[in-house]
Structure formats: structure tokens, C-alpha cells
Amino acid sequence: MEGDCLSCMKYLMFLFNFFIFLGGACLLGLGIWVIVDPTGFREIVAANPLLFTGAYIMLAMGAMLFLLGFLGCCGAIRENKCLLLFFFMFILLIFLAELSAAILAFIFRENLTREFFTKELKKHYQRNNDTDVFSSTWNSVMITFACCGVNGPEDFEDIRHLSYSSLEKATPEACCQRELRSREGMFVNKEACLEGIERFQNRQGCYTVILNSFETYVYLAGALAIGVLAIELFAMIFAMCLFRGIQ
């Protein structure tokens, strides 16, 4: 009976570690996609230190889970106590790190409000200055998502340091409608857009557009994180049970 119980724990341990291995592979792939994505999201990450750090943390966590899942599978199948203890200690450290990151993300969530982005836009945006990372990033976002400002074109009306001719309104050309959502896309009517004719402008704010675009993925990422934490917890329990059961 004891041998059957030990064998059951061994294969359950292998199963849990296989899921950790898959979870690590998913996080690793997601981290790589965020960093190398060519559609403009990479520029958003690069311009925001919080997102930039988070992307590399996700990449590192994915790589560690990938490796530890593999080691856990080997330790369970071979019934190696050293590998099991090594796995337990590191999975515990990762579990605590992920839990701390979740708590910090909850505490600093106010940095991602509409008011915060509006304030930053009005303070740092410089229209078509592509040498400025902040402005270039915002232009890429507005072109990619066919949106304008945080709340709409009115965000640019009271930015005093913006320079534009008397024939133009404050709306930057990145808010003008294009046939394709890329910098190479042809304008529908650039002159009319810059003169303030609304039907040639993207009138919807980027905050709402991006929130709606990523809402599903945010819930999916949250569910995935909860699932990974639960799997890690069960894996640690089985690892210690298996460690104590091996003679």
C-alpha cells in the first residue's frame, strides 16, 4: 500500500511539474512577444520603466518555471531527493516572488489611471518629434489603435508647448485617419484633418480603445497567474511528500 501511494505521488508530482513546465513556456513566449512585438507595443513597454521591468520579470519567471518544471519532472521520475529538494526551495522562492509582484501591482495600480496618462501626455508630448521616445511612442499608439490622445483630440488643445501653424489646429497628424494603421499608411485627408474637420480625425481616446482591446487578455492573464500559483502550491506539497517517502 505504501509503495502504491508513493508511486501515485510520483506520477502526480510529474503531472503537476508538467503543467508548471507548460506555464513557464507560456510566460516565456509572452515575455518574448512583448519585447520583440513589431506593432508598436514594444515602444510602449520601452517608454514606461514599470512596464519595461515587468516584461523582463515575466521573461525571467517564465524561463525559471520552464527549467524548474523540467527538473521537477526528472526528480519525480528518477526519485532523486537532491533534485526534489532543489525544486522545492526554488519553487518556493518563485511562489513568494510572484505573490509579492501581485501585491505590488495591486498597490501601484493607480499609476495606470486615465488621469495619470492624461497628465503625462500634456507634460511631455512633442507632436512629430520622433527623436523623443515619449512622443514617438504615443504617435505609434495612436496610429496603431486609430485613436487620439488619452480621452480624445481635446487633450491637445491646452498643451502650451506644442508648436503648430495658424492654419492648423492643435490635433497632431498621428490622430488623422489613415487607410492602413501604420506609419506607412496613406492619410485619408491630412490637410482637412489638421484644419480641424472631425470626420477625418480619430475622435476616440486611446485609453478606452486600449482598455477594450486588452480587457479579455487582462482577465486571461489574471486567471493564468492564479492557476500557476495553485499548481506551484500543489507541486511543493507533493514534492515534500515524495521527498519524505523516498527511502
Side-chain angles (χ1 to χ4, degrees):
M1 181 66 68
E2 184 178 348
D4 291 340
C5 183
L6 185 62
S7 178
C8 180
M9 283 193 296
K10 180 174 73 173
Y11 288 110
L12 283 174
M13 174 75 177
F14 177 85
L15 182 63
F16 278 121
N17 277 283
F18 180 71
F19 282 120
I20 290 174
F21 177 82
L22 290 180
C26 289
L27 286 177
L28 189 61
L30 185 61
I32 293 172
W33 174 77
V34 168
I35 292 171
V36 304
D37 176 53
T39 60
F41 195 66
R42 174 180 54 188
E43 297 179 3
I44 304 174
V45 173
N48 190 314
L50 186 62
L51 293 178
F52 184 78
T53 304
Y56 278 96
I57 289 175
M58 181 170 57
L59 192 64
M61 286 296 180
M64 292 182 67
L65 287 175
F66 183 85
L67 176 61
L68 287 176
F70 177 77
L71 291 176
C73 288
C74 292
I77 290 298
R78 298 181 61 183
E79 298 184 8
N80 187 305
K81 295 185 75 171
C82 289
L83 282 177
L84 288 173
L85 185 60
F86 175 82
F87 167 81
F88 177 84
M89 295 301 296
F90 272 85
I91 208 73
L92 177 62
L93 290 175
I94 292 174
F95 180 85
L96 294 176
E98 290 174 341
L99 197 60
S100 300
I103 293 172
L104 287 174
F106 179 79
I107 292 174
F108 292 105
R109 69 191 186 280
E110 65 269 10
N111 288 339
L112 300 178
T113 61
R114 185 188 297 268
E115 292 73 20
F116 172 79
F117 285 116
T118 303
K119 179 182 177 181
E120 290 296 302
L121 178 71
K122 293 183 177 182
K123 183 178 180 181
H124 300 292
Y125 185 70
Q126 300 178 22
R127 288 178 73 85
N128 300 324
N129 185 2
D130 288 333
T131 60
D132 177 64
V133 175
F134 184 90
S135 303
S136 177
T137 298
W138 262 106
N139 288 335
S140 295
V141 169
M142 292 189 289
I143 292 170
T144 301
F145 291 94
C147 56
C148 188
V150 178
N151 309 287
E154 62 274 8
D155 288 342
F156 301 99
E157 293 177 359
D158 56 350
I159 303 181
R160 296 180 179 179
H161 63 263
L162 291 183
S163 58
Y164 46 90
S165 69
S166 58
L167 297 177
E168 297 176 338
K169 299 297 182 180
T171 304
E173 66 178 45
C175 290
C176 297
Q177 293 181 6
R178 298 171 184 253
E179 295 177 0
L180 295 175
R181 294 185 180 183
S182 69
R183 288 181 179 270
E184 292 74 29
M186 297 293 293
F187 291 99
V188 175
N189 192 328
K190 179 180 176 180
E191 291 75 16
C193 167
L194 295 178
E195 289 173 5
I197 300 178
E198 295 184 0
R199 64 192 181 94
F200 296 111
Q201 299 175 347
N202 297 313
R203 304 293 300 176
Q204 193 168 12
C206 292
Y207 190 88
T208 301
V209 172
I210 295 176
L211 195 64
N212 292 337
S213 299
F214 287 98
E215 184 177 12
T216 303
Y217 299 103
V218 168
Y219 288 121
L220 183 62
L224 178 63
I226 293 173
V228 168
L229 288 173
I231 291 170
E232 288 172 358
L233 184 60
F234 279 107
M236 286 189 291
I237 293 172
F238 280 111
M240 189 50 61
C241 290
L242 186 59
F243 178 85
R244 296 185 62 184
I246 295 174
Q247 301 298 325

